[in-house]
Amino acid sequence: MKVAVVGLGRIGLPTAVLCGRRGHDVVGVDCDPNVLAAIAARAMPYEEPGLELDGFAVVPAIEDIEAEVWVVAVGTASAVGFDIRAVEDVVARIARRGAQLVVVESTVPPGTCGELAERHALRIAHCPERARPGQVFDDIATMPRLVGGVDAASTRAAIDFYTTLTDAPLLACTATESELAKLAENAEREVRIAFANELADAALAAGVDAARVIELANSHPRTSILRPGVGVGGQCLPLATGWFARRADGVTAAARALHTRRPAELARRLTSGLKPGARICVLGRTYRPDTRYQQPSAGTDRYRSPAIELIAELRKLGFEVCSWDPSDGTSRARAEEGADLVIVATPHAELKSP
């Protein structure tokens, strides 16, 4: 098939590569000159095993190409929640190209694809990505996919397309079911992480080790408590939880509030015995373990890593803070040198041994 993938980020770019490997005539589209320059230079700002940039062309504009299948993988997260203007703009421009099928992999509010299909008289399906950074190709190959068309013909066409990319189960549903299910799976995980953090606080108050309590609780076959930590970052989980949290008295709102305040609470708790001016080293800055990308040591972080927030809160309290992450390529020992306190904020595999 002639396939166009719009949005060459951490999901769109591997998807374009995979389409090329599976024999499709694929073109990648992205309007960001920085992204296009990085792809041209083979210098991506993150690591993704198996990401070999060959087998497909890259262009800056939708109007430059024709395609049978369009895969939309543009971002929808903003500082205040959903911003689907990019999806709306892309679909409107695709509609003028005479597309046979538009597949939206972006996370969108329920009802979005149905409204876009009606507005532009398009065959559209919502097939949300379910891949983890660092494991994208494996996840695409093995993770069940939701295939939610706005009608039966759209669902069938999308299933035919994804059958060429994966041997994993393809679960047919409606577009709205798929849109809501994607939000549900992400929000549910944040709620579970929030409980793990609440349990960690209770263990501290009781004077026992939280990890041991979780191990004991998880010996029950129907209990699976997650690991507590600094909070929840990335774009997917907070976006979904924030959508559900519009109901202020729900469990998702409580989870989001807990994680919003957690970096500041931990900063105060962890430094209660230190005097202002003490030196603190924070290990791990990415939003999830064993994920590598270029991230700041302070300031704005596009992935909203709670480790970056923790660093900022420690500095507000008057401490001298340095940090180290495996992706820095520098000496961990040198970063820790002279520190009065070392905090593991993101538990990378490299940090599980001294």
Side-chain angles (χ1 to χ4, degrees):
M1 301 179 190
K2 178 74 172 180
V3 179
V5 180
V6 185
L8 301 178
R10 298 203 68 163
I11 298 299
L13 185 57
T15 299
V17 170
L18 181 61
C19 285
R21 290 176 183 170
R22 293 301 181 97
H24 295 298
D25 182 6
V26 60
V27 178
V29 186
D30 203 294
C31 63
D32 187 336
N34 294 323
V35 171
L36 298 178
I39 293 173
R42 303 298 195 266
M44 303 311 297
Y46 54 84
E47 293 184 11
E48 186 60 55
L51 184 62
E52 298 173 359
L53 302 180
D54 53 16
F56 70 101
V58 178
V59 299
I62 288 170
E63 289 73 18
D64 293 338
I65 55 178
E66 300 285 346
E68 303 165 65
V69 178
W70 294 78
V71 179
V72 180
V74 298
T76 56
S78 73
V80 295
F82 272 111
D83 184 349
I84 63 170
R85 287 176 295 180
V87 172
E88 293 175 325
D89 175 67
V90 165
V91 171
R93 293 163 66 187
I94 290 172
R96 295 192 286 270
R97 310 302 295 167
Q100 295 181 23
L101 174 67
V102 178
V103 175
V104 177
E105 291 202 352
S106 307
T107 302
V108 295
T112 298
C113 287
E115 194 278 329
L116 290 173
E118 183 176 354
R119 186 191 309 174
H120 300 292
L122 282 173
R123 183 176 291 177
I124 298 180
H126 185 250
C127 306
E129 56 85 12
R130 283 177 154 180
R132 295 162 292 179
Q135 302 176 71
V136 171
F137 289 103
D138 287 344
D139 284 348
I140 291 177
T142 61
M143 192 77 69
R145 294 296 295 260
L146 308 182
V147 185
V150 296
D151 53 29
S154 300
T155 301
R156 182 68 258 170
I159 287 176
D160 290 343
F161 170 62
Y162 278 100
T163 297
T164 69
L165 300 185
T166 179
D167 295 324
L170 300 175
L171 308 179
C173 56
T174 69
T176 302
E177 287 173 336
S178 174
E179 291 161 340
L180 185 55
K182 173 61 177 177
L183 294 178
E185 64 191 50
N186 285 345
E188 186 264 355
R189 187 165 182 83
E190 178 161 358
V191 170
R192 292 177 64 204
I193 296 171
F195 174 71
N197 284 328
E198 185 175 355
L199 175 58
D201 293 343
L204 178 67
V208 295
D209 180 63
R212 177 60 175 160
V213 171
I214 291 174
E215 178 186 6
L216 293 170
N218 284 350
S219 66
H220 191 292
R222 292 192 298 275
T223 301
S224 181
I225 301 171
L226 300 178
R227 179 177 55 203
V230 180
V232 169
Q235 298 178 343
C236 296
L237 270 61
L239 179 66
T241 307
W243 184 84
F244 279 99
R246 296 174 304 165
R247 173 177 170 175
D249 60 346
V251 294
T252 49
R256 189 87 288 274
L258 184 152
H259 287 140
T260 298
R261 64 177 184 266
R262 190 159 186 79
E265 290 179 348
L266 285 179
R268 291 191 298 270
R269 184 184 306 166
L270 294 171
T271 61
S272 60
L274 292 179
K275 294 181 180 179
R279 178 176 173 80
I280 299 174
C281 178
V282 175
L283 302 179
R285 291 195 308 273
T286 58
Y287 75 95
R288 70 191 302 269
D290 304 321
T291 299
R292 297 194 177 189
Y293 58 89
Q294 295 174 5
Q295 79 288 115
S297 58
T300 302
D301 172 29
R302 63 175 298 190
Y303 292 104
R304 306 177 190 175
S305 170
I308 300 293
E309 295 180 30
L310 176 65
I311 291 170
E313 294 297 335
L314 291 169
R315 287 177 174 155
K316 286 180 185 178
L317 294 175
F319 297 104
E320 177 188 346
V321 185
C322 68
S323 66
W324 179 87
D325 192 88
S327 58
D328 292 344
T330 57
S331 169
R332 170 186 168 185
R334 182 167 296 180
E336 294 183 23
E337 189 175 336
D340 299 292
L341 174 65
V342 175
I343 300 171
V344 177
T346 308
H348 296 294
E350 294 95 324
L351 298 176
K352 293 180 180 178
S353 59

